[in-house]
Amino acid sequence: MILTVTLNAALDITYRVPQLRPHATNRITEVSERPGGKGLNVARVLAALGHRTVATGFAGGGTGEALRALLAETAVTDALVPVGGATRRTVAVADTATGDTTQLNEPGPVVTPAEWDTLLGTYRELLGEAQAVALCGSLPPGVPVDVYARLTRAARSAGVPVLLDTSGEPLRRGLAARPDLAKPNADELAALTGSTEPLRAARDARRRGAHAVAASLGPAGMLAVTAAGTWQAAPHRRIAGNPTGAGDSAVAGLLSGLVEQLSWPERLTRAVALSAATVRAPAAGEFDAATYEELLPRVVVTDHPTAG
């Protein structure tokens, strides 16, 4: 079983408009709702890849009920912890004329100390049967900023590999707890290290505690700095579409590759192909199967001459 943690889950709402016009009335042509938040997106992709996946985190209020009802329609097992506050909504406005998407994210419910303690107990129980765990996304109000460091240490004590995908101070503190893999994007890596050069920044992030760092580089693919070596993987052609959720699919590719004991180049190949295939999908947490199958054997992997 693979466990994903989404402390700030969301009900993802996507509006499609013919052309987004600021300061004007926009007519919506299509509305869709899906369970969201980075960890839930990861969980849905893992389940689509055939892995038994359990999702925990927080859910509350009418929005949380709607999210759980949608999650019940997927192959992901719901282990979300109820909270008194309402789960946030994220609204994506997709401009069908340009392909651009505007994202509006609510902050999330305030989590009480008692709710946090319940989550921690649930998490420790689930670790007992987990092969790997992904800690993903932003933090709702009320959750300690060092929460990912605590969850990483608990997983490592249980002998469960940890992938960390967050940003800012939670990322900095989480790295100090020595996760097996950190997966920042280029902007998050630059904010952490002060360097805009991806290889240098990834090496710096690894020195801060992560055993390996896999950095998402957008259309340029993914860079991995590990104890075994340093590689960069990229699709053989640029894929047009909506990039929302592409990084979450990359996490699913990396995590499934870890569980299946694939080599680093194989993990990167899967992560990049899934990420690019998500750009062609209608929403985060999904990927276009035909695009994935086309790209998988054609991802270009470069072996850097020096290890990170």
Side-chain angles (χ1 to χ4, degrees), residues 68-202:
R68 299 185 84 159
L70 290 167
L71 191 62
E73 298 174 4
T74 73
V76 177
T77 300
D78 178 354
L80 296 169
V81 172
V83 293
T87 293
R88 66 188 179 129
R89 295 162 296 182
T90 63
V91 178
V93 183
D95 184 326
T96 55
T98 64
D100 293 333
T101 300
T102 300
Q103 193 82 17
L104 305 172
N105 293 345
E106 295 179 355
V110 176
V111 175
T112 68
E115 290 165 344
W116 161 243
D117 286 343
T118 300
L119 183 282
L120 188 57
T122 298
Y123 175 73
R124 286 173 170 157
E125 289 180 12
L126 291 169
L127 285 176
E129 56 175 321
Q131 296 169 281
V133 59
L135 308 175
C136 303
S138 62
L139 304 182
V143 171
V145 71
D146 67 343
V147 60
Y148 284 135
R150 299 187 195 186
L151 296 179
T152 296
R153 285 192 290 267
R156 290 184 59 78
S157 295
V160 179
V162 182
L163 185 153
L164 176 62
D165 182 14
T166 188
S167 60
E169 187 65 11
L171 173 61
R172 189 184 70 80
R173 297 202 185 195
L175 288 177
R178 300 188 59 77
D180 295 85
L181 175 61
K183 207 284 311 164
N185 62 33
D187 290 341
E188 292 162 350
L189 200 56
L192 173 74
T193 66
S195 174
T196 58
E197 200 289 305
L199 183 56
R200 177 180 299 172

Side-chain angles (χ1 to χ4, degrees), residues 5-29:
V5 178
T6 312
L7 298 178
N8 209 7
L11 180 65
D12 282 351
I13 303 168
T14 301
Y15 295 142
R16 299 192 182 280
V17 298
Q19 183 177 15
L20 180 60
R21 297 179 299 154
H23 316 298
T25 298
N26 289 269
R27 301 296 179 183
I28 298 168
T29 58

Side-chain angles (χ1 to χ4, degrees), residues 211-246:
H211 289 272
V213 174
S216 293
L217 306 179
M222 178 168 282
L223 172 71
V225 177
T226 80
T230 301
W231 297 270
Q232 185 166 343
H236 73 289
R237 64 181 178 89
R238 188 181 181 93
I239 306 297
N242 179 5
T244 304

